[in-house]
Structures are given as structure tokens and as C-alpha cells.
């Protein structure tokens, strides 16, 4: 299998040579777009003679040089020796006097025909300069195998660059589906290309507990495994009595340390999340005594639907998945868990979830009610606030800061808590008014599990987030005190994401839009320029063997009913494309009709098919809509 994969990769890389434009005069497609980029005259050629130099005795700088060599060597096959102190052709250094114009994470990158100079005020800045340098090289530099016949040109430029926000994050949910340590590292490696600096690791949920906790071995011996099920999340048949739980996995503490170090080498902090007091079914499968119901038969959820959502933000859980906030043993448990977690993760924050906590079992439990009366706790929102306060004290005792989803504001969040805002923009506004630090990750646009194209060609999920909408979204609003906004983050929930290929398909290119919002100047956003650069990045991702979605080439399809007739309206978000369509069930080709204006579909039309082309080349996917589906979209049929 490995040999087949390596052959496929080699063929892909070779195809890159054949199909790519000559690298001389290549278009500059850096994402996120730098603050200042002035093209120069000429170019620098990477050759077998090229030497990289870093200052002597600076461990972090030496690591960056090693990283750069590891990125340049596979495709070029060049030795790329590193010189310490001596002058190389690619020089990496710390600015001798602090460059006020670029701040802590900024860099300057100058390329001339003589060489490359990257300077930062910190190693992080230099690392981001290295990312821009890599993006200046031909796309084939991403190839994992030596490829011959490429002129490894770096166009002359002068770049001065620095980020808009300090928090630039992506979240990966490894509970709903487990992703191997190797894949998590690869996900982080891809993040680094686009100057993300926070990896939020959603480690626990109803569908699996993924981190080894030595004081509570059943969290992983039981909580990391569930019965195997195929099919869409929400439809899985619940576990049968006696059925073996064989699907899942977890990270040992050694794995965690390895991932944290890997991220650190890329200037990415890892934010661990243990989602409590709700979303705890996997923990309760291991230790049922931690809930009020203490159900000894509770199992890790295999993707069954166990909740009713009433559509107004209210819901009911038919299985108790919450910790008991009135039981001191729960806090003993959490103290031990967070002791181990705080030792594994050097980052200043620990995320405690706090979202979607169903309180019905608390309300129905006489012991909880007596406790509330005795402690003058007015309602169940106050009870969760009581829980958060106790957990915050635990987190602070480990010299960490607490972060939670915006539900921690209900009933009042501990003053020092930071809020991750996912209920649109409004919860961010509320949190900043209450003087909490905030990370903006609003659904649906910053939820990478949403569909990014037409539902006819995407795995069905409950909402949409098209690339253009994600790109044009601004995370700050006039109702926020922006001095409290740390930055933003996009979240990949994995209920429907069963493997790495799907994870990448959902992440890219929307993560590119997010990275540009979080790094580049606000006024620099320009959709058509972004699209051109995304296409440049697609070539790089192809070479790197990373999956992505090309859904931006598909039109936005609107169908409405007018005077009893179906009216079709298409909108291409990318300029210079033609959507060819058929109404006779045939597959559209370059000779088929081109959509130019809204069309009425007569009763005889039973199937609409369309494909978008650039010139003679199809770039979009085949989208087929039956009449029944079209009528359903107008709301005229169920
Ligand atoms: C969330 O989406 N429940 C944070």
C-alpha cells in the first residue's frame, strides 16, 4: 500500500512539472496576504550551493533552520547545509534593534538576486517569514519526493508583515471521530503554513474521551471506545446489551507531549479542551457515579441521536450526559484530571467547554434541589455558574487560566475567565461588555463542519458556510470593545468527518479565508485577489497531497416559484466562469447552453444538470437536481 501511495505521489509531482506554468515569473500567491509586499527586480535561485545561516547559540533559531531545511530538501534534493554565524545565502536572524513597525510576531523578508534575508524581533516572527519564503517558491517545493527540471526561483521582493490578531486558531474535534497522532501532527503542520498559532484540541465529548489520565484509567480503557457503526451521525443504532466497543482510540501522555512539542516547534500553542459538565457521556461510561443518575449501563455514544432540539436554543437530552455539580467527588476527579492536563500542556489556558449543558436531570434530582436550597442557588444557570467557579479555582490552582464556550456567561462567569464566542457575534459583544477576554469563533461561518457548496454535492449537514461568506466576514463588530478580543478561530467538529481526507476537504480553503482575516490588515481584503491566491495555494496543496474543496467554482443556486413556474437563478462567485447546463438529463459539456440570466423551467423539465467551466476546462462539479428536489427547495413541496 505504501509503495502504491508513493508511486501516486511521484506521479502527481511529475504531473506538476508537466502542467504547471514555468516557475520564472510565477505569480505571488501568499496567504495570508502580507501587510506590505513590494516586488523587486530579478530573482534568487536555490541551488546545490545554497547555504542557510542562523546566529550561533540560539536554539530556537537553529530549530527554524532545521525546519526550513526539512521543507526544502525533499523536493530539491539539495543538501542545504546550515552555517552558524557565517554568512549564508538565506540568512535568518533576530533584528539587532527591536523593529517597532512589526511587533512581536512580525518579520521583514528581503529577496534579491544575491540572497534572502529574514529578520524578526522574535523567533516566531522569523518562522512566519520562513512561511512566506516557502510560498514564494514554485509549488513543487511541497512535493515529498525529489523532482528534477525545476528552476527553484524565489522572486525578488521586499516584505514587511505582522499579524492583526494575537489568537489565530483552528479547532479539531477528535472525540466524535478519533484522528491518529500522526494525522494531528500533519494537521498542525498545515496550520503553520498559514501562520495560525493556536491549535484547540477538543479531546473529550459524548463520543469518546481521548487523553490518557493516569489517575483514572477507565477514562480511556472504557471511555475511548464505542460500538462500531456506519452511516450518518445521529442515525446510529444505540449499543446493544453486551455488544463490544471496538471503535475509537486515545493519545497516551507520551503522544500528547510529542504533539505539543511538534506544535511548539511551529510556534503553535495547544489549547486542550475537556468539555464539562455536559458532553460527558464518555467519562460517565467509565465512571457513572459522577452523574446524578449514576446509570451503570451508560455507554459511549456511537453517534445515536439522544437529544431533541426545539429550534429556539432549547433542547432535551434523553440520556444523562452531565456531571453532578453538587458532588464533591466530582471536584476531586476534576482536580486530578486538570493536574495531569496542566503538566502536559504549557499553554496558559485550559478550555472547560461548558456548552449545551442539559440541566433536566439536575432539576429532577431531590438531592440537587436540597443542595441548591441550602446554598441559596436560585436556578440551574446559577448551579452551572457555581460549578464553573469551583472548576475555575481548580484551574487557577494549577497556574492556568480558564476558557469556556459562551454559555459560561449564563449565571455569571468567573471574572478571570476567557470566553470563546460561538453564538454569532452577540455573545462576543456581551462578553467584552463584561470585560472578559474573547476569542471569536461564531457559527455558522467559522464552523468548518458546515456545507461549503450546494447540498446536492456535499455531505448533508444542518447549515452552510460558503468560502466567500467566510472570507468577507469581519469578526469585530461596533458593539464590541475590541481591546478584549484576542482574535478568532474556526472549528472543525467531526460528527460527520470520519477520516483525514474529509477533515482536509472541510478545512481548506476556508481556513485560508480565516487566516487572512486574522492576520492581514482589515482593509486589505479583496475577494477576487483572494480567489487568485487560493488557486495558487491549490497547486501547493496538490503537491503536498492535502485535500481541499473546489466548491468556490460551483454557482450559488437559487430556485423560487413564480406564477406556478420554477425560476432558476445562478450566481458565480468567481469571475470569468461559465456555467453550462442541460434540461434533458444529459451531462453538460462545453457545447451545452451557458447560463446568462434567470430561466423559467417548464413542466417538462425533470432534471437540471450543470457544470461550471473556465474556458473549455470544467472547474466545477456536476450538480444534478431533480424536479422534486427543486420544488422542495422552493418550499412548495415537503
Ligand atoms: C458548540 O458548538 N457546542 C460549542
Amino acid at each position: 500500500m505504501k509503495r502504491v501511495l508513493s508511486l501516486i505521489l511521484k506521479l502527481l509531482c511529475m504531473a506538476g512539472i508537466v502542467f504547471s506554468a514555468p516557475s520564472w515569473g510565477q505569480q505571488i500567491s501568499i496567504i495570508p496576504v502580507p501587510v506590505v509586499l513590494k516586488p523587486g527586480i530579478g530573482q534568487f535561485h536555490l541551488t546545490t550551493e545554497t547555504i542557510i545561516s542562523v546566529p550561533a547559540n540560539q536554539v530556537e533559531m537553529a530549530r527554524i533552520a532545521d525546519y526550513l531545511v526539512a521543507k526544502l530538501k525533499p523536493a530539491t534534493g539539495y543538501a542545504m547545509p546550515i552555517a552558524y554565524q557565517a554568512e549564508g545565502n538565506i540568512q535568518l536572524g533576530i533584528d539587532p534593534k527591536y523593529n517597532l513597525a512589526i511587533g512581536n510576531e512580525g518579520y521583514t523578508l528581503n529577496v534579491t538576486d544575491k540572497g534572502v534575508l529574514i529578520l524578526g524581533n522574535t523567533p516566531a516572527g522569523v518562522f512566519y517569514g520562513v512561511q512566506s519564503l516557502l510560498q514564494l517558491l514554485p509549488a513543487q517545493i511541497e512535493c515529498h519526493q525529489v523532482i528534477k527540471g525545476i528552476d527553484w526561483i524565489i522572486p525578488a521582493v521586499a516584505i514587511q508583515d505582522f499579524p492583526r490578531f494575537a489568537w489565530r486558531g483552528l479547532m479539531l474535534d477528535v472525540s466524535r471521530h478519533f484522528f491518529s497522532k500522526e494525522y494531528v501532527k500533519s494537521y498542525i503542520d498545515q496550520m503553520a503554513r498559514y501562520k495560525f498559532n493556536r491549535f484547540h484540541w477538543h479531546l473529550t465529548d459524548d463520543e469518546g474521551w481521548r487523553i490518557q489520565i493516569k489517575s483514572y484509567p477507565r477514562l480511556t480503557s472504557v471511555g475511548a471506545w464505542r460500538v462500531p457503526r456506519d452511516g450518518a451521525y445521529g442515525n446510529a443504532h444505540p449499543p446493544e446489551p453486551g455488544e463490544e466497543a471496538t471503535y475509537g482510540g486515545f493519545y497516551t501522555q507520551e503522544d500528547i507531549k510529542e504533539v505539543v512539542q511538534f506544535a511548539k516547534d511551529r510556534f503553535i500553542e495547544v489549547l486542550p479542551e475537556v468539555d464539562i459538565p455536559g458532553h460527558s457521556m464518555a467519562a460517565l461510561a467509565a465512571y457513572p457515579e459522577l452523574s446524578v443518575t449514576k446509570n451503570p449501563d451508560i455507554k459511549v455514544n456511537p453517534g445515536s441521536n439522544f437529544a431533541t432540539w426545539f429550534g429556539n436554543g432549547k433542547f432535551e437530552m434523553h440520556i444523562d450526559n452531565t456531571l453532578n455539580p453538587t458532588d464533591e467527588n466530582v471536584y476531586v476527579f476534576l482536580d486530578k484530571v486538570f493536574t495531569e492536563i496542566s503538566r502536559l500542556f504549557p499553554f496558559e489556558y485550559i478550555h472547560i467547554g461548558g456548552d449545551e449543558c442539559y440541566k433536566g436531570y439536575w432539576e429532577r434530582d431531590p438531592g440537587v434541589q436540597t443542595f441548591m436550597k441550602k446554598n441559596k442557588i436560585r436556578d440551574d444557570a446559577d448551579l452551572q455558574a457555581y460549578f464553573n467557579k469551583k472548576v475555575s479555582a481548580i484551574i487557577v490552582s494549577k497556574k492556568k487560566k480558564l476558557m469556556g464556550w459562551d454559555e459560561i456567561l449564563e449565571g455569571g462567569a468567573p471574572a478571570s475567565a476567557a470566553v470563546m464566542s460561538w453564538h454569532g457575534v452577540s455573545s462576543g459583544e456581551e462578553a467584552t461588555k463584561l470585560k472578559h477576554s474573547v476569542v471569536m469563533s461564531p457559527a455558522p461561518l467559522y464552523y468548518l463542519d458546515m456545507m461549503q457548496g450546494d447540498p446536492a454535492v456535499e455531505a448533508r449537514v444542518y447549515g452552510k458556510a460558503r468560502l466567500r461568506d467566510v472570507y468577507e466576514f469581519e469578526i469585530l463588530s461596533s458593539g464590541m470593545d475590541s481591546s478584549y478580543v484576542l482574535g478568532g478561530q474556526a472549528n472543525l467538529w467531526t460528527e460527520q468527518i470520519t477520516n483525514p481526507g474529509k477533515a482536509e476537504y472541510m478545512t481548506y480553503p476556508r481556513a485560508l479565508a480565516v487566516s487572512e482575516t486574522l492576520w492581514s490588515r482589515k482593509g486589505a481584503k479583496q475577494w477576487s485577489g483572494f480567489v487568485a491566491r487560493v488557486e495558487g495555494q491549490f497547486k501547493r496543496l496538490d503537491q503536498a497531497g492535502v485535500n481541499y474543496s473546489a466548491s468556490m467554482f460551483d454557482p450559488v443556486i437559487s430556485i423560487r416559484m413564480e406564477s406556478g413556474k420554477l425560476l432558476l437563478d445562478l450566481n458565480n462567485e468567481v469571475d470569468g466562469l461559465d456555467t453550462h447546463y442541460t434540461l434533458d438529463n444529459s451531462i453538460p459539456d462545453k457545447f451545452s447552453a451557458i447560463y446568462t440570466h434567470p430561466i423559467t423551467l417548464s413542466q417538462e423539465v425533470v432534471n437540471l444538470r450543470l457544470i461550471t467551466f473556465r474556458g473549455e476546462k470544467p472547474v466545477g462539479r456536476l450538480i444534478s437536481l431533480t424536479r422534486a428536489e427543486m420544488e422542495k427547495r422552493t418550499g412548495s413541496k415537503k
Side-chain angles (χ1 to χ4, degrees), residues 467-496:
L467 179 65
R468 183 167 188 161
D469 296 327
V470 177
Y471 183 68
E472 289 179 346
F473 178 70
E474 164 54 30
I475 64 166
L476 297 184
S477 76
S478 57
M480 271 171 210
D481 179 345
S482 62
S483 64
Y484 289 99
V485 178
L486 302 175
Q489 179 177 295
N491 302 324
L492 183 58
W493 301 103
T494 58
E495 284 93 338
Q496 329 271 9

Side-chain angles (χ1 to χ4, degrees), residues 355-356 405 422 447 493:
D355 57 319
E356 298 172 326
W405 298 109
W422 71 281
Y447 269 36
W493 301 103

Side-chain angles (χ1 to χ4, degrees), residues 12-24 26 44-48 72 74-78 80 136-143 145-154 540 543:
L12 265 176
C13 295
M14 284 160 56
I17 302 173
V18 176
F19 297 126
S20 69
S23 48
W24 195 86
Q26 70 220 26
F44 175 71
H45 296 255
L46 219 60
T47 68
T48 50
L72 296 178
T76 62
Y78 302 161
M80 299 282 167
L136 287 171
L137 278 153
Q140 291 89 346
I141 199 67
E142 301 295 342
C143 196
Q145 319 245 352
V146 175
I147 45 174
K148 306 263 183 229
I150 298 283
D151 192 355
W152 299 107
I153 278 172
I154 306 171
R540 311 185 88 79
Q543 296 290 332

